[in-house]
Amino acid sequence: MQLKPIDQQVVVVVGASSGIGRAAALQFAKHKAKLVVAARSESGLQSLVEEIRQLGSEAIAVVADVTVFDQVKAIADRAVEAYGRLDTWVHTPATAVFASFADTKPEEFKRVIDVSLTGQAYGAMAALPHLKREGQGALIHVSSVLGRRSLPLQSSYCSAKHGVEGFLESLRVELQHEGIPISVTSILPASVNTPFYNNALTRLGVKPSGAPPYYEPSLVADAILYVATHPTRDFLVGDAARVTDLLQRLSPGLVDFVLVKIGYQLQQTSEPKSEDVPNNLYQPIPANDKVEGDFGNLAVPSIGDWLDKNPLLKWGAVAGTATLAFLATQAFKEGKI
């Protein structure tokens, strides 16, 4: 399966007004892709388009709510109308309620699912007819490592992310069965330093937090650009995501035990925050139309991301480690060590 170089692509980024979506749009712009950027926040899109044009790239803004299919379809249609085709669709929007399941209202749970799961499906539904017509392309959906392992206090968000993983698995196999060379990728980050935690509704009495360590949005944007040219099934972003995924595979019960002990305090800051403070569950918050959040002091680099984007070096390191382990075992058996 071949994907075009970035500078030859028409790229749609949904959820582009802030966080990962904004970071990804700016990265695509630096590599001279033609862009359609979409979100609910008109002011956030306007400032983003100005930044993109300052980088010497083209961009069109479409205001849309991902819970309304006709609005999502209009994003894809606008890309084809303006540029004649669609090559890559990047879907990032998500919202959250930080509360115990017992304290989450039914309409809030549904809204998180509508935005963070149904909206993702709407994005694929809108993009696929155009990608199929081109005979190639990439669907890139930003999920979360919480789609592999849920945390307490985020039942609605984790449910949505598990759902994203399920629908992408079904879709990927259906496209393969039809022989259609469209790359379907799930991006699964660990905690990312975006305004996500400022935007979320909280009933914890304090400002919520992701489970540290954090990673900068630029790391996720780099992963998105990588999979836009390198067909990839899943891309875990951040070493913490890889460790979480491995532990969940090895012993879910052990992860349960750890989360009972520390999972609650890891997701709570000491900063008081009322549930009445504005959140983005139903309306955007223009003040948070920025890439980074408030946890940059907790952000760390990730070795695993670099290795995943350099597979020859990655497997060389694995082979080297295996060889050293074998030689050490043989030496131990022969009594040399």
Side-chain angles (χ1 to χ4, degrees), residues 20 24 89-92 120 139-148 157 161 164-165 168 172 184-190 192 217 219-228 230 232-238 241-242 305 309:
I20 291 168
W89 181 279
V90 181
H91 202 99
T92 73
Q120 293 261 11
L139 278 174
I140 302 171
H141 292 260
V142 176
S143 180
S144 168
V145 72
L146 301 191
R148 297 278 180 88
Y157 179 81
K161 293 306 183 180
V164 170
E165 295 307 298
L168 290 181
R172 188 180 292 113
V184 179
T185 302
S186 177
I187 303 284
L188 301 110
V192 183
L219 191 68
V220 190
D222 288 344
I224 290 170
L225 261 72
Y226 175 80
V227 303
H230 300 78
T232 305
R233 190 183 195 281
D234 300 307
F235 198 110
L236 289 154
V237 179
R242 295 176 180 86
D305 287 69
K309 286 178 279 193

Side-chain angles (χ1 to χ4, degrees), residues 119-304:
Q120 293 261 11
Y122 284 173
M125 289 175 182
L128 274 173
H130 301 295
L131 295 176
K132 287 181 177 180
R133 186 170 59 250
E134 288 300 308
Q136 64 175 2
L139 278 174
I140 302 171
H141 292 260
V142 176
S143 180
S144 168
V145 72
L146 301 191
R148 297 278 180 88
R149 170 68 222 195
S150 295
L151 294 182
L153 305 177
Q154 296 191 59
S155 57
S156 54
Y157 179 81
C158 294
S159 297
K161 293 306 183 180
H162 275 74
V164 170
E165 295 307 298
F167 114 74
L168 290 181
E169 286 181 352
S170 293
L171 174 60
R172 188 180 292 113
V173 174
E174 289 175 10
L175 291 172
Q176 291 173 359
H177 177 73
E178 296 175 44
I180 300 174
I182 295 173
S183 175
V184 179
T185 302
S186 177
I187 303 284
L188 301 110
S191 298
V192 183
N193 178 33
T194 71
F196 177 81
Y197 305 99
N198 303 71
N199 287 330
L201 187 157
T202 177
R203 291 207 172 86
L204 306 180
V206 296
K207 178 180 173 180
S209 167
Y214 280 83
Y215 299 91
E216 292 293 5
S218 58
L219 191 68
V220 190
D222 288 344
I224 290 170
L225 261 72
Y226 175 80
V227 303
T229 55
H230 300 78
T232 305
R233 190 183 195 281
D234 300 307
F235 198 110
L236 289 154
V237 179
D239 294 330
R242 295 176 180 86
V243 171
T244 300
D245 183 51
L246 177 61
L247 290 176
Q248 175 67 11
R249 292 173 187 272
L250 292 176
S251 179
L254 174 61
V255 182
D256 288 348
F257 176 81
V258 171
L259 291 177
V260 167
K261 297 295 183 182
I262 63 173
Y264 284 71
Q265 51 265 49
L266 285 179
Q267 297 181 82
Q268 300 183 61
T269 68
S270 58
E271 179 182 333
K273 185 173 182 178
S274 166
E275 66 179 88
D276 297 324
V277 172
N279 61 77
N280 76 344
L281 200 58
Y282 296 99
Q283 299 293 332
I285 303 177
N288 291 334
D289 286 335
K290 54 187 178 179
V291 170
E292 296 180 357
D294 301 333
F295 298 98
N297 61 313
L298 299 177
V300 298
S302 174
I303 296 173

